[in-house]
Amino acid sequence: MLTISDLQANIGEKQILKGINLTVKAGEVHAIMGPNGSGKSTLASVLAGREDYDVTGGSVDFEGKDLLDMAAEVRAAEGIFLAFQYPVEIPGVSTTNFLKTAMNEIRKYRGQDSLDAVQFLRLMKEKMKLVNIDQSLLSRALNEGFSGGEKKRNEIFQMAMLEPKLAILDETDSGLDIDALRIVAEGVNALRSPERATILVTHYQRLLDYIVPDYVHVLYKGRIVKSGPKELAFELEEKGYDWIKAEVEEAGV
Amino acid sequence: MTNQPQENSPVSTFRDRLLAGFRASEERMNGETKSPLHQVRRAALQTFETLGFPTVKHEEWKYSNVTSLINKAYELEQPSSITADDLAPLQIPNLSGNILYFVNGQYRADLSRIVSPTSEVQILPFREALTEQSEAVGAYFSRIADFQDNAFTALNTAFAFDGVFIRVPDGKTVTEPIILRFITDARSNSVAAQPRNLIIVGRNAEVKIVESYRTLGDEASFTNAVTEVVVARDARVEYYKVQNDTDQSYHIGTTQVRQSDNSLFYSATVTLNGGFVRNNLNIVLDGEHCEAHMYGLYIPNGKQHVDNHTLVDHAKPNSYSNELYKGILEERSTGVFNGKIYVRPDAQKTNAYQSCKNVVLSPDATMNTKPQLEIYADDVKCSHGTTTGKLNEEALFYMRSRGIPQEQAKTLLMFAFAEDVMTKIKIDPIREYLEGVVAQKLAM
Ligand SMILES: Nc1ncnc2c1ncn2[C@@H]1O[C@H](COP(=O)(O)OP(=O)(O)O)[C@@H](O)[C@H]1O
Ligand SMILES: [Mg+2]
């Protein structure tokens, strides 16, 4: 589904991604872990199409197409979804109105008819239950004055509505209590299917108790320095990142 | 001094025309030139002659250059052949109420409809009110809007013949809104019009008034309007000023309000289009426990220029004023916001809030803001803030990442920004109509 090859990206003069290689197949869940400042959010943003970053090398293939060549909205229409680490407040635009616009734009891109009001509401009701989110929240301006947990849940709600092929969750778990975490995990697991894939950027192993990954990668200083099965996450939880950092230094990178 | 005639001619042309126009109007008046009201006109003309048109050296006109405005040869009394059919495209769907048309300054009874009973409200062409309501006119005309230091108000006062007179008796609620449509027919000539309105709202009375301005045709138009509003104690006034004018239009308008105890003045000024617009909204809170709300929205594009000057004068204690103006500036447009708040030494326990927020969408557009607070009382709550920024890029990316194309995301964001003010318009058909115009203009 997704093949990232030697991806390099700068912000200004500063190189942040220094050659990322990662292959994600349909049906898989990949966890990306790593110390703060490693470039996890940068990778997520570059995949979603944020233009603040200059891609200086490498390529990203998404279902046979050149992802880096697409505008952010086209990527969304092609099936990429990024749950933001810091969801943005959109003053004056309700979640409902926002999502209706987004869904219908995506449908237009795919040559499908727009959803009418009834179809849209029915879908919303169904997904609201899934992430246990309240109607009143969805009528308010998107993310404006939402608590941290509400913002994260709203991200998952949007994901559930848009049903992406590839969901990228950037630290959706941080700052959540255990109940909220469980809800987020349920939302993600509900979307798990042989046609879809998920990249989970996380700091903590605890999310992985609920969403069991197929692979765990460690991103450090702009590179994936270690990959392994889900057990790698336990090891990281236990031993921290120092041993990995040491390994990297030893290798003399 | 070879360039002297060149330097003088265009400016003096309009001025000369005005002075000649004044003399001509006097000749038609016969004995009426002796009336006290006409003495006010004469004094105003003299003030205008002394002051002359303001230049950008004048602090109040620093960012609004009227040179090209006064450089045109407007017809002062241009007859118009406009018919109801010509106005059909300007109709606002589902709008009921009193709708009055003024074309090139003249009231057009044939195009207008007055539905409110006279027991609720007296609505008269200003010219008729001069005789039929001479006492009320004498009591308030030019006493609310001072012309001493304002050339345009002076000019309007000198030519105060046409416009509307509205009087709501004590205790009456006018159920239907009063819509004043000032149309300039500039299809064949450049035209100037100077509407003069006097609105007297009695004790515990209530009324909703809309002023709208529109030019037809491609020639230049100049409207110099003055509206005086007297809000007696316990009265409630909703006042909307709507401008959706041509790029060749010049508008200078002053709305001068005086409020007495316990009264409410609630206003929104919406400038959707117009070549050159200067709105002065001045409110004197001359009573206790008054409330004044002032909302404004302007969305100039092209080379449009919109200048809003507001003044809230807290003259007595315990009153509240709240102001929110928002602007979206595109292309090469310019905007000005100048908001003054005075709190007089007497006006303890004043609450006065002011906010002006702007989004500048193009590097060639400019916005000048100047809040001016002069507070002479110590026990007051006042706040003011102005922001001028670009479109929120973070929000834009967030929306795009959900599949909303860039242009549409911008429109959605800007429309939501404008809605803050649009929702303050409480006459539904007008709000809906304006929302349509805003949406169309913001669709990039
Ligand atoms: N807008 C930016 N301007 C400058 N530096 C940035 C910006 N965004 C991220 N960085 C830098 O890029 C590096 C990677 O950041 P980030 O991708 O957010 O890391 P992570 O998500 O792994 O914590 C950090 O050193 C960070 O300071
Ligand atoms: Mg991050």
Side-chain angles (χ1 to χ4, degrees):
Chain A
M1 177 180 274
L2 182 77
T3 310
I4 305 175
S5 312
D6 193 28
L7 181 64
Q8 297 163 42
N10 286 13
I11 185 144
E13 294 291 289
K14 188 173 164 195
Q15 191 179 30
I16 297 173
L17 301 184
K18 299 178 181 162
I20 302 272
N21 293 292
L22 180 67
T23 301
V24 178
K25 297 203 181 76
E28 293 178 347
V29 173
H30 289 244
I32 296 182
M33 305 181 76
N36 268 332
S38 298
K40 303 184 296 296
S41 291
T42 302
L43 175 61
S45 297
V46 168
L47 292 177
R50 189 190 281 269
E51 285 154 2
D52 301 345
Y53 301 93
D54 293 326
V55 175
T56 53
S59 63
V60 180
D61 178 289
F62 180 64
E63 304 220 291
K65 294 179 186 165
D66 179 1
L67 189 73
L68 299 176
D69 206 29
M70 299 174 194
E73 54 266 37
V74 175
R75 299 183 196 197
E78 288 284 345
I80 298 227
F81 179 93
L82 170 64
F84 283 54
Q85 181 173 6
Y86 305 107
V88 183
E89 300 192 357
I90 313 286
V93 181
S94 69
T95 305
T96 309
N97 186 17
F98 173 75
L99 263 181
K100 195 191 263 171
T101 310
M103 284 193 80
N104 284 334
E105 283 301 324
I106 290 176
R107 293 179 71 88
K108 197 197 286 174
Y109 177 90
R110 294 177 184 165
Q112 299 163 321
D113 286 338
S114 303
L115 293 180
D116 64 31
V118 178
Q119 291 169 316
F120 179 77
L121 281 177
R122 194 175 297 144
L123 190 67
M124 244 186 39
K125 286 243 165 68
E126 179 192 322
K127 304 297 184 184
M128 276 160 62
K129 250 182 257 157
L130 184 70
V131 295
N132 196 13
I133 203 165
D134 207 57
Q135 174 66 53
S136 64
L137 202 67
L138 303 181
S139 326
R140 278 168 47 188
L142 181 51
N143 291 329
E144 209 177 31
F146 287 22
S147 71
E150 285 170 336
K151 283 182 183 169
K152 295 297 176 81
R153 235 182 306 157
N154 192 285
E155 294 290 285
I156 299 305
F157 172 68
Q158 293 180 42
M159 181 184 82
M161 289 290 284
L162 297 174
E163 299 185 328
K165 287 184 199 152
L166 174 65
I168 304 161
L169 278 66
D170 190 1
E171 301 211 23
T172 303
D173 54 334
S174 49
L176 294 186
D177 61 29
I178 207 75
D179 288 336
L181 191 70
R182 202 174 284 141
I183 287 166
V184 165
E186 274 166 26
V188 174
N189 287 330
L191 264 188
R192 272 184 104 150
S193 84
E195 298 86 51
R196 300 180 204 284
T198 306
I199 296 175
L200 285 178
V201 175
T202 181
H203 232 57
Y204 311 102
Q205 183 265 327
R206 62 174 194 165
L207 178 66
L208 307 179
D209 291 341
Y210 297 95
I211 311 170
V212 181
D214 300 295
Y215 299 95
V216 176
H217 310 276
V218 179
L219 186 63
Y220 179 57
K221 288 192 173 169
R223 287 193 180 86
I224 290 181
V225 294
K226 201 164 191 69
S227 296
K230 62 176 186 291
E231 286 74 20
L232 176 56
F234 300 118
E235 205 175 344
L236 290 169
E237 180 80 358
E238 216 169 284
K239 302 202 274 180
Y241 290 110
D242 285 351
W243 63 283
I244 290 188
K245 289 182 189 173
E247 268 185 30
V248 172
E249 305 311 332
E250 224 163 88
V253 183
Chain B
M1 286 304 206
T2 47
N3 64 344
Q4 200 174 2
Q6 217 180 345
E7 193 183 326
N8 279 340
S9 59
V11 174
S12 58
T13 303
F14 184 40
R15 205 182 131 112
D16 290 348
R17 249 172 212 253
L18 287 164
L19 299 180
F22 187 81
R23 282 192 298 274
S25 66
E26 279 197 327
E27 273 158 32
R28 289 196 300 261
M29 270 188 219
N30 305 322
E32 223 208 290
T33 52
K34 302 248 162 22
S35 73
L37 190 133
H38 192 65
Q39 303 318 306
V40 178
R41 289 194 193 109
R42 277 187 175 160
L45 188 78
Q46 221 161 42
T47 302
F48 168 69
E49 284 192 80
T50 314
L51 293 174
F53 287 112
T55 69
V56 290
K57 292 199 185 105
H58 194 299
E59 191 55 32
E60 291 292 299
W61 294 89
K62 192 171 168 187
Y63 300 109
S64 291
N65 190 339
V66 300
T67 308
S68 69
L69 183 165
I70 57 182
N71 230 335
K72 300 202 162 49
Y74 307 98
E75 292 298 330
L76 299 182
E77 294 181 38
Q78 172 73 16
S80 168
S81 59
I82 260 179
T83 63
D85 286 345
D86 296 323
L87 298 177
L90 310 187
Q91 301 299 329
I92 294 171
N94 308 317
L95 182 63
S96 69
N98 304 283
I99 304 184
L100 283 77
Y101 281 93
F102 300 82
V103 179
N104 295 351
Q106 307 281 322
Y107 175 63
R108 289 283 297 269
D110 59 322
L111 303 171
S112 304
R113 72 163 194 248
I114 295 178
V115 296
S116 294
T118 50
S119 59
E120 252 182 31
V121 57
Q122 287 120 42
I123 306 173
L124 290 174
F126 189 79
R127 201 178 277 273
E128 282 175 32
L130 294 178
T131 49
E132 287 177 33
Q133 295 276 348
S134 57
E135 205 175 310
V137 173
Y140 295 111
F141 170 69
S142 190
R143 293 182 190 234
I144 309 298
D146 184 19
F147 59 73
Q148 287 313 329
D149 53 5
N150 186 323
F152 287 102
T153 301
L155 189 59
N156 174 285
T157 306
F159 286 84
F161 297 100
D162 292 297
V164 75
F165 171 90
I166 296 170
R167 180 180 201 171
V168 188
D170 291 351
K172 297 291 182 185
T173 293
V174 186
T175 46
E176 295 291 336
I178 302 170
I179 321 288
L180 309 171
R181 304 207 63 168
F182 297 97
I183 308 289
T184 308
D185 179 0
R187 292 178 300 181
S188 53
N189 286 313
S190 297
V191 175
Q194 303 201 66
R196 176 69 175 219
N197 308 310
L198 177 56
I199 300 167
I200 303 165
V201 187
R203 288 181 175 203
N204 193 27
E206 185 171 324
V207 67
K208 298 180 176 68
I209 291 169
V210 181
E211 273 182 30
S212 96
Y213 293 89
R214 182 77 90 112
T215 301
L216 297 180
D218 296 330
E219 301 301 323
S221 74
F222 170 44
T223 310
N224 179 31
V226 173
T227 300
E228 294 179 281
V229 189
V230 183
V231 189
R233 55 183 307 161
D234 300 312
R236 297 165 300 281
V237 177
E238 265 176 52
Y239 171 85
Y240 304 102
K241 182 169 177 179
V242 177
Q243 294 155 314
N244 187 18
D245 218 330
T246 62
D247 284 347
Q248 293 75 36
S249 67
Y250 295 85
H251 176 98
I252 292 176
T254 294
T255 300
Q256 184 79 42
V257 183
R258 193 172 81 198
Q259 290 186 243
S260 298
D261 290 343
N262 276 314
S263 64
L264 167 71
F265 184 78
Y266 179 99
S267 72
T269 303
V270 178
T271 308
L272 304 176
N273 282 294
F276 178 100
V277 175
R278 165 65 174 261
N279 295 315
N280 302 309
L281 175 57
N282 305 326
I283 302 176
V284 180
L285 297 169
D286 194 18
E288 294 196 45
H289 306 288
C290 294
E291 256 186 59
H293 297 260
M294 313 155 84
Y295 300 101
L297 175 71
Y298 38 95
I299 52 172
N301 66 357
K303 285 157 77 176
Q304 297 176 344
H305 175 81
V306 182
D307 176 348
N308 279 292
H309 269 59
T310 66
L311 163 65
V312 189
D313 184 350
H314 282 266
K316 299 272 165 69
N318 293 313
S319 284
Y320 168 88
S321 67
N322 181 35
E323 178 169 20
L324 171 66
Y325 271 64
K326 294 185 106 175
I328 300 170
L329 294 97
E330 291 185 67
E331 297 169 4
R332 310 180 62 82
S333 65
T334 47
V336 181
F337 173 80
N338 182 305
K340 294 195 191 71
I341 299 176
Y342 294 153
V343 181
R344 306 274 172 192
D346 245 11
Q348 299 294 359
K349 307 273 181 203
T350 285
N351 283 316
Y353 304 100
Q354 180 190 86
S355 165
C356 175
K357 298 178 180 169
N358 303 285
V359 180
V360 177
L361 293 176
S362 139
D364 299 321
T366 37
M367 181 69 210
N368 293 294
T369 56
K370 188 176 180 189
Q372 282 175 274
L373 273 64
E374 293 184 26
I375 299 171
Y376 302 102
D378 45 25
D379 186 12
V380 301
K381 277 195 197 124
C382 291
S383 77
H384 70 98
T386 61
T387 57
T388 298
K390 292 188 200 155
L391 196 70
N392 183 343
E393 294 289 339
E394 290 291 310
L396 206 60
F397 175 63
Y398 185 85
M399 297 172 87
R400 292 177 67 196
S401 80
R402 298 294 186 256
I404 303 176
Q406 164 131 324
E407 297 305 300
Q408 210 182 328
K410 272 190 194 171
T411 304
L412 212 56
L413 278 176
M414 287 302 93
F415 189 78
F417 180 82
E419 270 289 273
D420 244 7
V421 171
M422 298 301 291
T423 52
K424 305 298 186 212
I425 299 172
K426 296 195 247 183
I427 303 174
D428 293 346
I430 290 187
R431 190 192 56 252
E432 285 156 15
Y433 174 78
L434 295 178
E435 281 171 342
V437 179
V438 171
Q440 219 167 37
K441 187 161 182 182
L442 294 179
M444 294 169 214

